[in-house]
Amino acid sequence: MSLSDELTRLHDLHRSGALSDDEYAAAKARVIAAGGGAPREGAGSGAGAEAASAMQAVNALRRPRADRWVGGVCAGLAVATGLEAWVWRLLFVLLALWGGAGLMVYVLLWIFVPSE
């Protein structure tokens, strides 16, 4: 469904009384934010859009309560990237064996990535 179709549908629900003014404004803001919305002043396509998309992905990263072995970092990365959790676990183990970098990164992610 396109952005304009979703906004039209929200407008129809608001007009029919199914959504209050506050609910309509909040839903409209969510739809526009999810659809990318209008480009901001000074923001172009390309690197700026990719950086904004990467920041949204980082901000959406969570450690799920399911499929967690230690802290849930690998399961959260699996959800965010689409890779299997075992691939992330293997990567962290290999990095941990190679100078301890994997363990350090894992612990930092465990500390700073919020749980679901």
Side-chain angles (χ1 to χ4, degrees):
M1 183 178 284
S2 72
L3 182 64
S4 63
D5 293 337
E6 290 184 41
L7 289 174
T8 302
R9 185 172 160 211
L10 279 175
H11 179 70
D12 292 342
L13 287 171
H14 180 248
R15 191 175 47 200
S16 70
L19 293 175
S20 68
D21 293 337
D22 294 334
E23 291 171 330
Y24 172 69
K28 182 178 174 182
R30 276 196 311 268
V31 167
I32 291 173
R40 292 175 300 209
E41 186 176 327
S45 62
E50 290 176 14
S53 175
M55 286 305 296
Q56 286 178 343
V58 168
N59 289 334
L61 185 61
R62 297 287 183 263
R63 293 182 296 119
R65 297 194 187 277
D67 191 27
R68 127 185 322 201
W69 282 14
V70 178
V73 172
C74 294
L77 288 171
V79 170
T81 62
L83 290 174
E84 293 291 326
W86 69 266
V87 174
W88 286 105
R89 291 181 183 115
L90 179 64
L91 180 66
F92 278 116
V93 168
L94 291 175
L95 287 174
L97 293 174
W98 184 56
L103 183 62
M104 184 178 70
V105 170
Y106 189 91
V107 169
L108 287 173
L109 287 172
W110 191 357
I111 291 169
F112 290 112
V113 173
S115 186
E116 277 186 339

